[in-house]
Amino acid sequence: MVQYVIEAAKEAQLFGAEIYLSTESQEIQKTALSLGINANELRPAALSKDPYGIKDVLFDFLNRNSFTEEWYTIVILLPTSPLLTSEDIQKAVKEFESLENSTLLSVTETDHNAYRSLEIKNECIAPIFPQKIKKRTQELSPTYRINGAMIIIDRVHFLEHKDFFSPDTLAYVMPKERSIDVDTAFDFALAEILLKNKSKMKIGIVDYGLGNIQSVKNAILFHAPDINVDLVHKPDESNQFDKLILPGVGAFGDAMKLINEKGWNDAIREEAKKGKYILGICLGMQLLSSISYEFGEHKGLNLIAGEVIKFDLPSHYMIPHIGWNNVHFNYSHPLAMDVEQDADFYFVHSYHFKCDDPQYALASTSYGNTFTSVVAKENIMGVQFHPEKSQGVGLKLISNFIEL
């Protein structure tokens, strides 16, 4: 388990060469050294037994290593919390440094609200908080527990007080699924399952408030039931996924208003800049554009330069364009791998994406006039149709995106 925590510490890119391991085990020491971690000295074996704890280990380390006198802040990462991520470390350190408190502890919300806890007195149940036991859970403030993943502390404060708690101790809240503190065989088995799932590709479906999100998720799971696919509810969660899908139904202006209000604009653009694959579906494809003229003028994400305009069709063509229509790929592309040329996909739309640069129009469809039905620019792609509703050919296209 120690390897997962070491890798998270290195990926955080905050410590340079200043990552040290304290252990009494030669086997763990060997693993740490192979990963480029400072672990040249073994600590006294007695420190691994009761009544000693983390405070004693840290105090021993500081006393035995005079170079630590130059340290201001100490970040302690516990190997019994293998689901800790580099993002957790980065965010916690940033919070600690910005607020200048003396201590920070990682916590997670309790499974059951502690205000509803009971004790047994004289063989009878007694509420620990009688004034709150009758309240509904939703009326109670959340309660938290230390999850044993991370401690950040001011070195001078620790040496003076020899304690991790202080009146100004900050809390870094971690989700329950990353708060496994391995202490029993059951904890270890559960951590193994979660780590196995963690190693699989993770696809996030952006949930900004408008979109056929569940049907997209079902289509992915139908093709690849072992894939980790989940809804992304908050912009700061988007970096936890390998690929993102941006769905959408409804009006362009309403969608962009929600995206801007909820902070998704910057998050999506940042992930795109990192090279993360992003697939827009239906309205989600249109949101990739620079501007839309649907019910006014509305700025888009501007990931692929172009405009979204209304169909200008002969009178006998219905708007919106609803139903099955063929898609012709203009050139070869991994998204189109083994997708039959001119195959039918299911459309529902009144506006279409016109790329400023024709090279980004990957596929086109004829409906009165020819319009762009698939766009692609490096890691950014979009489809005007609904692949999740387009039966086998749609699932094949989703499969291609997953395998990029």
Side-chain angles (χ1 to χ4, degrees), residues 337-357:
M337 183 70 66
D338 295 327
V339 174
E340 182 184 351
Q341 183 70 290
D342 297 317
D344 285 341
F345 290 81
Y346 187 78
F347 291 82
V348 182
H349 63 122
S350 300
Y351 288 73
H352 64 95
F353 192 145
K354 183 181 178 182
C355 296
D356 286 356
D357 190 332

Side-chain angles (χ1 to χ4, degrees), residues 58 62 71-76 96 151-155 158:
L58 177 58
L62 295 177
W71 292 359
Y72 294 99
T73 301
I74 299 170
V75 180
I76 304 172
F96 181 81
I151 302 165
I152 305 178
I153 192 165
D154 178 90
R155 183 185 65 85
F158 176 74

Side-chain angles (χ1 to χ4, degrees), residues 126-261:
I128 296 176
F129 302 98
Q131 72 277 20
K132 300 200 175 190
I133 193 68
K134 293 184 179 180
K135 290 189 176 184
R136 295 180 301 169
T137 301
Q138 54 266 41
E139 295 176 320
L140 298 172
S141 301
T143 57
Y144 300 85
R145 63 173 178 84
I146 296 171
N147 70 350
M150 179 168 40
I151 302 165
I152 305 178
I153 192 165
D154 178 90
R155 183 185 65 85
V156 174
H157 174 87
F158 176 74
L159 291 175
E160 288 178 357
H161 300 277
K162 297 183 178 62
D163 201 348
F164 296 135
F165 284 97
S166 64
D168 68 343
T169 298
L170 293 168
Y172 175 73
V173 181
M174 289 176 58
K176 294 177 183 178
E177 64 268 20
R178 294 207 306 278
S179 294
I180 304 297
D181 185 11
V182 178
D183 190 45
T184 66
F186 175 80
D187 294 334
F188 184 81
L190 179 58
E192 275 194 317
I193 293 171
L194 293 173
L195 285 167
K196 183 179 179 181
N197 287 335
K198 181 181 177 183
S199 65
K200 298 176 183 176
M201 179 182 292
K202 297 178 69 176
I203 295 180
I205 302 172
V206 177
D207 180 16
Y208 59 92
L210 283 179
N212 48 323
I213 51 180
Q214 193 57 50
S215 58
V216 173
K217 181 177 180 178
N218 291 342
I220 295 172
L221 291 175
F222 179 84
H223 163 73
D226 292 332
I227 289 286
N228 277 335
V229 55
D230 210 345
L231 307 184
V232 193
H233 300 293
K234 297 178 182 179
D236 62 2
E237 296 174 347
S238 57
N239 59 4
Q240 301 172 17
F241 294 84
D242 300 297
K243 294 182 174 71
L244 292 176
I245 292 178
L246 180 64
V249 293
F252 189 104
D254 294 339
M256 283 306 303
K257 182 180 179 182
L258 288 169
I259 285 173
N260 289 323
E261 287 178 348

Side-chain angles (χ1 to χ4, degrees), residues 9-191:
K10 293 173 71 174
E11 288 172 9
Q13 297 183 347
L14 295 174
F15 313 112
E18 298 295 303
I19 302 177
Y20 295 83
L21 181 87
S22 175
T23 183
E24 71 286 345
S25 165
Q26 291 183 344
E27 183 178 349
I28 293 176
Q29 180 190 44
K30 184 178 180 181
T31 298
L33 290 171
S34 70
L35 294 170
I37 300 302
N38 298 291
N40 294 321
E41 292 186 26
L42 293 174
R43 71 187 181 206
L47 288 175
S48 64
K49 302 174 182 178
D50 292 335
Y52 299 106
I54 300 171
K55 289 182 288 187
D56 303 291
V57 170
L58 177 58
F59 193 68
D60 170 77
F61 182 85
L62 295 177
N63 281 338
R64 287 191 295 108
N65 295 284
S66 59
F67 59 82
T68 61
E69 294 176 6
E70 299 178 2
W71 292 359
Y72 294 99
T73 301
I74 299 170
V75 180
I76 304 172
L77 309 176
L78 286 305
T80 51
S81 186
L83 295 161
L84 178 75
T85 67
S86 58
E87 290 82 10
D88 288 322
I89 300 168
Q90 291 169 342
K91 289 178 182 178
V93 170
K94 183 177 180 181
E95 179 181 349
F96 181 81
E97 291 180 340
S98 65
L99 296 176
E100 298 183 351
N101 292 46
S102 59
T103 318
L104 178 146
L105 297 174
S106 61
V107 301
T108 192
E109 189 172 349
T110 53
D111 292 327
H112 303 284
N113 195 291
Y115 287 123
R116 302 182 71 86
S117 299
L118 306 172
E119 59 182 341
I120 299 177
K121 291 182 177 180
N122 300 321
E123 299 182 1
C124 295
I125 291 174
I128 296 176
F129 302 98
Q131 72 277 20
K132 300 200 175 190
I133 193 68
K134 293 184 179 180
K135 290 189 176 184
R136 295 180 301 169
T137 301
Q138 54 266 41
E139 295 176 320
L140 298 172
S141 301
T143 57
Y144 300 85
R145 63 173 178 84
I146 296 171
N147 70 350
M150 179 168 40
I151 302 165
I152 305 178
I153 192 165
D154 178 90
R155 183 185 65 85
V156 174
H157 174 87
F158 176 74
L159 291 175
E160 288 178 357
H161 300 277
K162 297 183 178 62
D163 201 348
F164 296 135
F165 284 97
S166 64
D168 68 343
T169 298
L170 293 168
Y172 175 73
V173 181
M174 289 176 58
K176 294 177 183 178
E177 64 268 20
R178 294 207 306 278
S179 294
I180 304 297
D181 185 11
V182 178
D183 190 45
T184 66
F186 175 80
D187 294 334
F188 184 81
L190 179 58

